[in-house]
Amino acid sequence: MSERITTPFGFETTALEVVEGVDLSGRRAVVTGGASGIGVETVRALAAAGAEVTIAARNVEAGNRVAASLAEATGNKNIFVAPLELTSQESVKEFVRGWDGPLHLLINNAGVMATPLTRTPEGWELQFATNHFGHFTLTLGLFDSLRAEGARVVNVSSTGHLASPVVFDDIHFERREYDRWAAYGQSKTANVLFGVEAGKRWGAEGITMNALMPGGILTALQRHITPEELEERRRLRGASGKPMQLKTPEQGAATTLVLAVSPLVEGRSGLYFEDGNEALPHTAGMTNGLAAYAHDPEAAAQLWKVSEETLKIGEQA
C-alpha cells in the first residue's frame, strides 16, 4: 500500500496559492461548471498559471461573462466557453465532437445536490445522471485527447459520499423510497470509484484520475436546500463534536488545483483528497474521510461495466 500523500496545503489554502509559481503554458484544460461557484475560482487559478481553459457550461451567457471577467483579471485571453448540459447525453457528445487536439486537464466539477426526485427522459435519477453518467460519457469521449502526456482528470466528489455506496440493484430508485441525500451520496461515491477503475485501465496511457471533497461552501449548489435544513445539518455536525466549517469559493477550489497540478500526485489514480491532502479512511464517529466502499476495486469495476452498458458506450482502451 502506498504511503499517504500529504502536502503543504490545508483548509485555508486558496486555489491561487496552490498555483503560485506553477507554469501551465501550453497546457489545455476543460472545467465543467466553470461559470459558477468553485468552478469560477478553478478557472481563475488555471488561467493565472497560463493554461488555455475552456469553460463547459449549461448557461453559455453566464460562461461568457465569467470568461471576459477572468481574462481581464488574469491577463490570459485564452479562456473559452462551450455549451454542456450534463443531463443530456446528446449535449455531452456534441461537446466531445467539438473538441480538437490534446487535453491535459479535465476538471469534472459541475454537479447537482439534494434535488427532488427528478428523472431524465431515459428514466435515470437526475443526480446520478448528472454527477456520474454525464461526466463518464464526457471523459470516455475525450479519451484520445487525454492521451496527451501527463493528462489528469479531477472529479469533484464530496463528503456526502458517506451517505451511500452505489446501490447497483436499484441505482435509480425504481423500487426503494427516494432519499435525496442517499441519491446524492451514491453519485459522489461514483465520482471516486470512477478514478479507481480508470487507474487500472488508463495508467499505461499516462492518464490519471483522482477525486476530492472541496469543503463546505455556500454556492448555487445548495439551491435545493432551505436555510432551515442547512441550519439543521450544521446543528447535527456540531452535536458530533466537529462543527461544520465553511470555506470561501477560493478555498473550496484549492484541493481541485492540488490534484490538477501538484507533482506529489504525479502518476497516481484512485485517490480521494480533503483540505489539500489525501484523506484518511473513514471510521465510526468521523464526519469526513474515505468510505471503504468508495475505493473498493470490485465496486469500481462494476460501476464501469454498468455505466458502459447503460450509456451504450463501446469498450475503451
Side-chain angles (χ1 to χ4, degrees), residues 61 98 148 162:
E61 184 178 340
L162 298 173

Side-chain angles (χ1 to χ4, degrees), residues 284-301:
M286 290 177 64
T287 57
N288 59 356
L290 176 61
Y293 55 69
H295 63 100
D296 172 35
E298 291 185 6

Side-chain angles (χ1 to χ4, degrees), residues 1-10 264-265 268 271-282 286 288-290:
M1 185 174 180
S2 300
E3 185 177 347
R4 175 175 174 251
I5 297 174
T6 58
T7 76
F9 308 114
L264 295 173
V265 296
R268 298 287 298 277
L271 305 178
Y272 174 76
F273 270 51
E274 297 173 328
D275 296 336
N277 293 271
E278 187 176 357
L280 294 166
H282 175 77
M286 290 177 64
N288 59 356
L290 176 61

Side-chain angles (χ1 to χ4, degrees), residues 43-189:
V43 175
R44 185 192 307 276
L46 292 171
E52 174 195 304
V53 188
T54 296
I55 297 171
R58 181 172 52 185
N59 185 334
V60 173
E61 184 178 340
N64 286 330
R65 288 195 298 269
V66 168
S69 173
L70 294 183
E72 182 176 358
T74 64
N76 185 342
K77 306 302 180 185
N78 293 316
I79 305 175
F80 307 105
V81 181
L84 178 68
E85 171 54 76
L86 287 167
T87 61
S88 165
Q89 286 288 301
E90 183 52 41
S91 174
V92 176
K93 292 171 184 176
E94 184 64 27
F95 181 93
V96 170
R97 286 192 290 266
W99 186 264
D100 184 47
L103 175 59
H104 304 93
L105 295 171
L106 172 58
I107 313 297
N108 290 326
N109 166 82
V112 293
M113 180 173 75
T115 58
L117 178 58
T118 308
R119 299 192 184 280
T120 67
E122 296 89 350
W124 305 329
E125 188 276 317
L126 181 69
Q127 295 187 78
F128 204 84
T130 305
N131 299 344
H132 174 61
F133 280 162
H135 283 127
F136 188 85
T137 298
L138 177 68
T139 307
L140 267 66
L142 292 169
F143 175 78
D144 287 336
S145 295
L146 288 165
R147 281 175 157 161
E149 183 180 354
R152 298 189 189 190
V153 181
V154 180
N155 299 330
V156 177
S157 181
S158 169
T159 193
H161 85 274
L162 298 173
S164 178
V166 177
V167 181
F168 288 105
D169 62 358
D170 192 13
I171 288 175
H172 302 291
F173 293 85
E174 294 167 322
R175 294 177 297 281
R176 54 183 170 141
E177 183 178 357
Y178 181 69
D179 180 319
R180 59 184 182 157
W181 289 108
Y184 179 66
Q186 71 167 0
S187 75
K188 295 289 101 179
T189 293

Side-chain angles (χ1 to χ4, degrees), residues 4-22 247 251 254-259 261-264 273-278:
R4 175 175 174 251
I5 297 174
T6 58
T7 76
F9 308 114
F11 181 94
E12 295 183 350
T13 302
T14 67
L16 286 174
E17 289 172 340
V18 174
V19 299
E20 188 174 351
V22 173
K247 293 185 179 184
Q251 293 169 332
T255 304
T256 296
L257 270 298
V258 172
L259 289 176
V261 307
S262 174
L264 295 173
F273 270 51
E274 297 173 328
D275 296 336
N277 293 271
E278 187 176 357

